[in-house]
Amino acid sequence: METDDYIIKQISVFSENKPGRLAAIAKALQDEKINIFAFSIAEAKGFGVVRLLVDKPEPALKKLADIGFMVSFTDVIAVRMKDEPGGLFDIAKILGESEINIEYSYAYSGKEAAVLILRVDRIKEAIEKMTGRGADLLKAEMFL
Amino acid sequence: MFWDKEMETLGGRALEDLQVKRLRQTIRQAENVPFFKDLLKEKSVSAEDINKIQDVSRLPFTTKKDLQKGYPFGFMAVPKKEIVRIHTTSGTTGKPTVVGYTRNDLDNWSELIARNLTMVGLTDEDTFQNAVNYGLFTGGLGFHYGAEKVGMTVIPSGTGNTKRQIEMIDDFGVTAVHCTPSYAMHLAEVAEEMGTTLDTFKTGLFGAEPWSDNTRRTLEQKLGVTAFDSYGMSEMYGPGAAFECPERNGLHFWHDSFLIEIIDPETEEILGPGECGELVVTPLVKEAMPLIRYRTGDITCILDDECPCGRGPRIARITGRSDDMLVIRGINVFPSQIEHVLRTLPEVGDQFMVYVDRINHLDEMAIDIEIKKEFFSGELKDLERIQKKIIHALRDTLNLRTKVNLVEHESLPRFEGKAKRVVDRRGDVI
Amino acid sequence: MKWDPRIEEMPAEQLAELQYKRMKTLVYRLYSFSDFYHRRMKENRVHPDDIRSLDDVTKLPFMYKSDLRDNYPDKIFTASQDELVRYHVSSGTTGKPTVVGYTQNDLELWTTSLARGLTACGLGRGDVMQVSYGYGLFTGGLGLHYGAERIGATVVPTSVGNTERQIELMQDLRVTAIACTPSYMVHMGEVAEKMGVSIEKDTNLKTAVLGAEPWSEQMRTHIQNEMGIRAYNIFGTSEISGPMFCDCAEQNGIHIWGDMAYTEIIDPETGEQLQPGEKGELVMTILQKEALPMIRYRIGDITSLDTSLCACGRTHPRIDRLQGRVDDMLIIRGINVFPSQVEHALLGIPEVSGHFMIIVDKKGALDEMLVQVEMNPGAFSDKVQDIMEIRTKVSHILRNSLNISVGVELAAPGTLPRFEGKAKRVIDRRLN
């Protein structure tokens, strides 16, 4: 198993906390016919970081950079959860027992399953531990 | 009331003789400093050329930039062991301006402050809260020594912790306070919130930043004090070089210790009484760091009518600056300093804007910064770390807490020609 | 070098005689003019006439920090308003601080004491002393400032903070001596190193006068070796005026000037006086203090007394470096903190509960204090900003009441330990 196969490129966008910024990001992606699987916003004083998982990361990054946004890729992992009670617990338990810290996470509920996106402090170890214990990690190629 | 009636009311021929004598002495003292020695030689002027007070115009000017070049001890005119105190004040770049004092300098300085305090009616019966910064800033220790000389009870409260300050005013029966006028406004508001009327207060000494007569009325009404304006700067010891008397119609300069002139800042031509221009000061009894015709950058004029209190000529309250220096919470800040700090930080992009506002009567400086793209990791916490680093660096050099806003790329104005990166939105004076 | 050899080398018997004379005068004065001491002596059935030798001092009642709190702010003072020239303020055990007033003579004695001490550390006119203690209400800054000024040194009143600038000034102004806390000294060394500056090679620093917090002989050795300087220990609390006594070149105990103070070591439980060499609580009588007199004040620090003659020739008794406290007072970056102060401050904040923990640790060389407190369920918000604002509010209020900045962690309701009986809310992880 190549752990790299499971490292997914999330787009992180620097944005000021003011009206219209998310719309500007969404509009740019729409123009490029890029589909957003999931996103979240992290807030700080006066600014925030918009985090996006998209189907075409490279063109999306380029487009956002071209229109002046400060952007970068961040490595995350995505894992399918059973869409039933205990689904999140199964995953959180693996990381907790391995003393891997979840820096942040967000989720989306797709057609076949709920997907949890995780930013962790030791990503390769997290992938090994999770695949080793049968967690259903999404491959990066799904997002290309 | 007078602390030293003879000196305070000295005028006419007697004052002029004293000034001439002391100016000559100052020139000789200044000749111990290579900078002045060379400069005086270049202008071929010496102490012997001063025969009447008008001869001061033959002397060259000194500027803050000159002092900056002498950092740290280039302007000391006495051996180092004679220096008993060092203060520093804002420089125009990363390094501060260093000011040295001999024991006599400290004595003279506290004498002048004792005159000021006595002039406004304060005595050893008074309890005095000194709510300005201690340490390297001259405001704290300067007034502290003067008030101690008068025998007042000094509470060295420093700045900050406003609720505690108000508790002390009430608990200790404070009668007089010294602080910046904007901090006084803040005290008044917090006192009101706390539901106390500060009954023991009677005298407010306010300085270190320009303030208006409107503010005076508000402060007097809210704090129940009579408010007096104080003027000075570290280069002339510190605060206390000029002060209002109970007439409160201009500030009395202590003419036995300072020779003052008003000039046109552009042409350097000397202006007459009543004409507004830049204040130029030659301290007359300074030992450690004598200065010749120091350009203060402050705009004022010499009032030509006599004050009923009997003391010498006054200057009008300071109305502005001849340069771009800002006074933020009583601290002098040069835009060049801000720029200097930001330029040393690799994360800070080429574009930034500085805004100075007054929020709840307190000055706030906020800086919008575009960080360089290569420093964006995508992580919120890295951004917060950069933000903190910038705040820290600014605080270290400016001694001021600033608010730093990280803004998106290309959102700040670009300048062609001279950039105006500092916008003061506070209006004229408080 | 001695500042006042006549006093500092005074034969022991003569010194004891002087102490007795001053003690007697003090007791008479206070019995006659101080309501507080008159009452206190009456309650303990002791009259000034009962003091016939220094040994009789044990008949006199103790004075406690709580006496200062109960008589806040100035009810114990024995000077009138026109005689008072200064107030300093230090930590109290609850909301109100401890207030100390000074007459001109009080300042004079304090300054003289420091002039003797700084001279004993080898300092004098040629020195440039950076005072990196806090100025203002805290006694450290102005105390050392006046002392250094008295001996004719050049004083650089840097106060605390802005370490990089302090190191730049130390270099640029050719500073030879510094006064600060021992941990700040170590911190400066570390910051200097990061800046590429060696205190030993790149500065003129040769003397440090360190105090306001307990430190060890090992730390002294470390500082002296690392920085190529001599490090002296200074002691004092605001109640006795401020930092007042320090060790001499022998570095073998802190000289307590016997003409100014009468020192006892007692068993904190029984109040019995202990012998020289025995460890116990430090109790001091300041013999000529005017504004806030102190008879047998329970300082609360643990140390021992050494009455033998010091090799430096000074005849005055010495105390060992401080070994701890008899109460739960913490010293954080030189500032005294009582857990009861924290409790008192938190009780005034509706967003948090009274369940809290104090965790003290070292971050690098500096003390760090963290307060964990449970949020009240009603204060919860789903906006991170709101919760951060509560945290900011708590840390602001704590900083205002403790005079130091502390970290704050908000904990979920019911997650912090509960105590039955005496609460142990302090976890001190610093190595002593």
Side-chain angles (χ1 to χ4, degrees):
Chain A
M1 179 205 73
E2 275 297 327
T3 51
D4 286 356
D5 293 348
Y6 297 98
I7 296 177
I8 296 165
K9 293 206 177 314
Q10 165 195 284
I11 298 176
S12 305
V13 188
F14 175 80
S15 166
E16 288 173 51
N17 273 0
K18 61 185 188 191
R21 301 317 294 153
L22 185 60
I25 294 169
K27 169 84 168 54
L29 297 180
Q30 184 196 8
D31 290 349
E32 296 294 302
K33 304 211 170 0
I34 289 163
N35 188 24
I36 303 169
F37 291 126
F39 85 92
S40 84
I41 299 174
E43 61 192 284
K45 267 217 159 87
F47 62 87
V49 174
V50 178
R51 299 158 178 158
L52 300 147
L53 274 198
V54 298
D55 58 350
K56 285 177 280 185
E58 297 286 351
L61 186 88
K62 183 169 180 308
K63 172 70 183 181
L64 290 169
D66 285 350
I67 61 169
F69 277 103
M70 194 154 63
V71 284
S72 77
F73 282 134
T74 308
D75 293 343
V76 295
I77 51 179
V79 56
R80 275 196 198 89
M81 291 186 292
K82 284 180 286 183
D83 200 355
E84 59 184 48
L88 177 60
F89 175 64
D90 291 343
I91 292 156
K93 191 172 66 168
I94 300 171
L95 294 173
E97 287 171 1
S98 313
E99 301 225 329
I100 291 168
N101 191 37
I102 301 173
E103 286 172 2
Y104 56 81
S105 91
Y106 48 104
Y108 73 93
S109 208
K111 277 169 220 141
E112 63 270 42
V115 175
L116 184 67
I117 295 136
L118 295 159
R119 167 75 177 164
V120 295
D121 55 352
R122 300 194 302 278
I123 193 164
K124 294 204 169 183
E125 200 183 328
I127 293 169
E128 283 162 17
K129 288 276 179 337
M130 292 182 74
T131 50
R133 290 178 61 174
D136 187 4
L137 288 183
L138 271 61
K139 289 202 169 175
E141 63 194 34
M142 292 193 56
F143 298 91
L144 291 172
Chain B
M1 281 195 295
F2 292 91
W3 176 259
D4 181 351
K5 188 163 184 185
E6 193 196 338
M7 275 302 163
E8 291 179 45
T9 55
L10 199 64
R13 189 71 223 186
L15 176 64
E16 203 173 314
D17 286 349
L18 183 70
Q19 285 186 325
V20 167
K21 194 177 111 198
R22 288 184 168 177
L23 179 58
R24 282 198 199 134
Q25 177 52 34
T26 295
I27 294 168
R28 284 186 204 106
Q29 183 77 355
E31 279 170 344
N32 294 330
V33 177
F35 171 86
F36 285 123
K37 192 171 184 193
D38 296 348
L39 192 63
L40 291 166
K41 205 168 163 194
E42 193 184 303
K43 306 268 170 191
S44 33
V45 53
S46 71
E48 281 61 46
D49 299 318
I50 306 297
N51 296 309
K52 54 185 186 307
I53 209 60
Q54 289 76 11
D55 291 336
V56 70
S57 64
R58 303 180 58 178
L59 296 167
F61 292 103
T62 319
T63 64
K64 181 134 199 133
K65 279 217 176 80
D66 294 329
L67 298 185
Q68 196 87 48
K69 279 182 247 155
Y71 180 87
F73 289 126
F75 277 83
M76 301 302 156
V78 297
K80 215 160 138 204
K81 64 174 192 298
E82 307 286 329
I83 297 175
V84 297
R85 176 89 62 81
I86 300 282
H87 280 286
T88 62
T89 176
S90 315
T92 48
T93 62
K95 293 284 185 191
T97 304
V98 174
V99 185
Y101 303 76
T102 64
R103 206 175 278 284
N104 282 338
D105 288 336
L106 291 185
D107 274 348
N108 285 330
W109 185 14
S110 30
E111 275 292 313
L112 298 186
I113 295 196
R115 289 186 198 172
N116 297 326
L117 298 173
T118 309
M119 176 165 72
V120 302
L122 297 170
T123 69
D124 63 356
E125 305 262 348
D126 283 289
T127 302
F128 173 68
Q129 188 141 323
N130 198 18
V132 294
N133 248 317
Y134 277 69
L136 292 169
F137 176 66
T138 49
L141 284 167
F143 266 83
H144 182 97
Y145 274 57
E148 199 165 280
K149 183 158 253 174
V150 173
M152 296 163 83
T153 311
V154 184
I155 305 173
S157 64
T159 50
N161 209 339
T162 308
K163 280 192 180 157
R164 170 67 55 90
Q165 300 242 16
I166 287 163
E167 280 171 22
M168 289 192 296
I169 294 165
D170 281 339
D171 294 346
F172 302 166
V174 170
T175 56
V177 67
H178 170 227
C179 61
T180 62
S182 49
Y183 191 67
M185 287 291 259
H186 185 65
L187 270 180
E189 286 207 335
V190 178
E192 209 172 298
E193 274 167 35
M194 290 169 71
T196 169
T197 46
L198 307 173
D199 292 335
T200 55
F201 253 3
K202 58 172 203 197
T203 308
L205 315 174
F206 306 123
E209 59 187 21
W211 52 302
S212 67
D213 276 335
N214 268 334
T215 304
R216 176 170 359 230
R217 276 189 290 276
T218 312
L219 285 175
E220 296 197 332
Q221 189 228 327
K222 287 196 166 194
L223 292 173
V225 295
T226 310
F228 298 91
D229 193 5
S230 160
Y231 176 75
M233 58 172 58
S234 304
E235 291 88 337
M236 27 176 139
Y237 301 127
F243 216 86
E244 283 183 330
C245 69
E247 300 293 325
R248 294 184 298 148
N249 180 24
L251 293 86
H252 288 282
F253 239 100
W254 300 117
H255 300 284
D256 58 318
S257 301
F258 302 98
L259 181 63
I260 62 170
E261 303 164 83
I262 303 290
I263 64 161
D264 179 322
E266 300 298 322
T267 64
E268 297 185 342
E269 190 192 329
I270 298 174
L271 302 177
E275 290 183 293
C276 264
E278 181 180 347
L279 176 67
V280 171
V281 175
T282 306
L284 293 175
V285 287
K286 276 183 81 184
E287 292 181 343
M289 197 167 150
L291 291 172
I292 294 176
R293 300 188 91 196
Y294 185 70
R295 292 193 54 166
T296 63
D298 287 317
I299 303 291
T300 181
C301 61
I302 297 175
L303 303 175
D304 51 4
D305 56 334
E306 268 179 37
C307 183
C309 82
R311 295 176 183 88
R314 293 151 295 151
I315 56 165
R317 303 179 70 196
I318 306 299
T319 52
R321 294 279 307 171
S322 61
D323 58 13
D324 57 0
M325 187 185 90
L326 301 161
V327 184
I328 301 176
R329 263 177 267 145
I331 295 175
N332 300 345
V333 178
F334 291 91
S336 53
Q337 270 181 296
I338 303 172
E339 179 136 5
H340 180 90
V341 175
L342 294 178
R343 295 284 181 229
T344 56
L345 299 170
E347 294 90 345
V348 174
D350 294 334
Q351 305 304 328
F352 59 85
M353 284 299 292
V354 179
Y355 298 99
V356 187
D357 289 293
R358 186 164 288 125
I359 300 166
N360 291 332
H361 308 293
L362 291 179
D363 297 334
E364 299 288 346
M365 184 162 85
I367 307 188
D368 286 358
I369 288 172
E370 292 180 14
I371 64 164
K372 285 196 192 126
K373 283 187 177 166
E374 58 264 40
F375 287 94
F376 178 60
S377 68
E379 298 290 344
L380 196 69
K381 59 177 193 287
D382 291 333
L383 290 168
E384 287 177 317
R385 195 178 40 73
I386 292 172
Q387 194 180 26
K388 268 200 188 131
K389 180 178 170 182
I390 301 169
I391 291 170
H392 191 85
L394 287 166
R395 196 193 54 208
D396 279 0
T397 301
L398 310 178
N399 287 312
L400 261 186
R401 179 172 38 83
T402 52
K403 194 173 164 220
V404 167
N405 302 312
L406 302 184
V407 300
E408 284 173 28
H409 260 255
E410 285 159 44
S411 63
L412 293 178
R414 265 58 181 167
F415 297 96
E416 285 175 32
K418 194 169 158 48
K420 251 201 87 95
R421 297 193 192 282
V422 179
V423 181
D424 192 341
R425 299 190 287 211
R426 291 175 294 182
D428 290 345
V429 285
I430 59 168
Chain C
M1 282 286 287
K2 295 189 177 71
W3 179 257
D4 188 346
R6 190 183 61 85
I7 292 280
E8 292 173 50
E9 294 169 358
M10 181 180 270
E13 318 76 68
Q14 228 177 303
L15 186 61
E17 210 171 294
L18 183 67
Q19 282 186 315
Y20 170 65
K21 234 169 62 195
R22 289 189 173 165
M23 178 70 81
K24 189 102 182 150
T25 311
L26 176 73
V27 172
Y28 265 113
R29 176 168 78 86
L30 294 180
Y31 187 82
S32 314
F33 297 112
S34 156
D35 285 346
F36 170 80
Y37 280 104
H38 184 85
R39 216 176 333 110
R40 192 52 71 82
M41 284 188 230
K42 270 263 165 86
E43 281 162 12
N44 285 271
R45 292 165 210 284
V46 52
H47 187 271
D49 289 340
D50 300 333
I51 310 301
R52 297 196 191 88
S53 73
L54 277 178
D55 293 336
D56 290 334
V57 166
T58 54
K59 293 177 183 163
L60 293 165
F62 292 114
M63 181 184 185
Y64 301 87
K65 194 169 181 87
S66 56
D67 291 325
L68 297 174
R69 186 193 55 208
D70 298 343
N71 291 283
Y72 176 87
D74 58 358
K75 295 194 198 80
I76 298 186
F77 289 8
T78 48
S80 61
Q81 196 59 54
D82 57 343
E83 293 169 312
L84 284 179
V85 296
R86 176 92 62 83
Y87 282 123
H88 279 288
V89 166
S90 67
S91 319
T93 46
T94 59
K96 289 289 181 188
T98 301
V99 180
V100 183
Y102 302 74
T103 64
Q104 194 62 54
N105 284 337
D106 290 337
L107 291 185
E108 184 57 34
L109 276 175
W110 182 16
T111 304
T112 304
S113 177
L114 281 170
R116 288 187 203 165
L118 295 176
T119 307
C121 298
L123 299 173
R125 265 188 95 189
D127 282 290
V128 180
M129 184 170 225
Q130 182 164 348
V131 179
S132 304
Y133 281 121
Y135 277 68
L137 293 172
F138 176 65
T139 51
L142 284 170
L144 266 301
H145 179 99
Y146 276 61
E149 193 168 284
R150 176 62 56 87
I151 61 169
T154 307
V155 183
V156 187
T158 49
S159 198
V160 288
N162 207 338
T163 308
E164 290 183 15
R165 171 52 58 89
Q166 296 230 13
I167 291 163
E168 272 175 45
L169 284 178
M170 182 187 281
Q171 283 188 284
D172 296 345
L173 305 179
R174 282 164 231 130
V175 166
T176 62
I178 188 169
C180 60
T181 62
S183 50
Y184 192 65
M185 189 73 251
V186 175
H187 177 67
M188 272 193 140
E190 287 170 2
V191 173
E193 205 177 306
K194 272 192 208 135
M195 294 164 67
V197 174
S198 155
I199 301 252
E200 177 163 21
K201 297 195 187 83
D202 304 326
T203 75
N204 291 1
L205 194 73
K206 54 182 204 310
T207 309
V209 181
L210 310 176
E213 64 186 16
W215 54 310
S216 63
E217 211 48 50
Q218 286 91 313
M219 197 161 168
R220 165 143 52 194
T221 311
H222 171 80
I223 291 171
Q224 295 196 146
N225 293 346
E226 283 291 305
M227 304 186 193
I229 58 174
R230 297 277 287 165
Y232 297 96
N233 193 4
I234 184 163
F235 163 79
T237 70
S238 67
E239 294 92 330
I240 66 164
S241 280
M244 213 173 162
F245 305 111
C246 63
D247 48 20
C248 63
E250 299 297 321
Q251 298 191 334
N252 190 22
I254 294 165
H255 285 280
I256 310 287
W257 308 118
D259 56 317
M260 298 183 182
Y262 179 72
T263 309
E264 300 168 77
I265 303 293
I266 63 157
D267 179 326
E269 300 299 323
T270 63
E272 296 280 322
Q273 211 180 58
L274 300 177
Q275 291 304 305
E278 289 184 309
K279 228 194 251 184
E281 181 181 351
L282 180 62
V283 170
M284 284 186 140
T285 301
I286 307 299
L287 296 167
Q288 290 173 300
K289 223 158 161 275
E290 293 180 341
L292 178 57
M294 292 272 152
I295 291 183
R296 302 195 86 200
Y297 185 68
R298 305 271 300 245
I299 308 252
D301 289 312
I302 296 169
T303 182
S304 60
L305 194 64
D306 185 350
T307 50
S308 68
L309 184 70
C310 181
C312 72
R314 291 179 180 83
T315 50
H316 298 240
R318 284 161 292 152
I319 55 166
D320 195 3
R321 56 172 62 250
L322 307 182
Q323 314 270 330
R325 293 279 308 171
V326 296
D327 55 14
D328 60 357
M329 187 183 90
L330 296 161
I331 302 175
I332 315 281
R333 269 171 272 146
I335 305 287
N336 301 345
V337 175
F338 292 91
S340 49
Q341 277 178 288
V342 176
E343 180 157 21
H344 188 267
L346 293 176
L347 283 176
I349 310 172
E351 290 89 344
V352 299
S353 79
H355 298 287
F356 71 96
M357 291 293 293
I358 297 172
I359 294 161
V360 190
D361 210 340
K362 285 253 178 209
K363 188 182 176 191
L366 299 182
D367 298 334
E368 285 236 309
M369 179 170 145
L370 175 72
V371 173
Q372 296 173 320
V373 60
E374 286 182 9
M375 263 175 87
N376 274 332
F380 179 74
S381 155
D382 64 341
K383 269 202 229 134
V384 180
Q385 285 295 318
D386 290 347
I387 296 178
M388 280 166 76
E389 263 158 36
I390 295 175
R391 194 178 63 170
T392 309
K393 179 179 174 185
V394 174
S395 80
H396 191 80
I397 289 173
L398 286 175
R399 194 186 57 215
N400 280 351
S401 76
L402 307 178
N403 283 314
I404 51 163
S405 54
V406 300
V408 171
E409 262 179 29
L410 297 177
T415 55
L416 292 179
R418 265 48 178 177
F419 299 96
E420 287 177 31
K422 195 171 157 48
K424 277 198 186 131
R425 298 200 187 274
V426 180
I427 301 174
D428 196 339
R429 296 191 183 127
R430 294 173 297 185
L431 289 172
N432 215 347

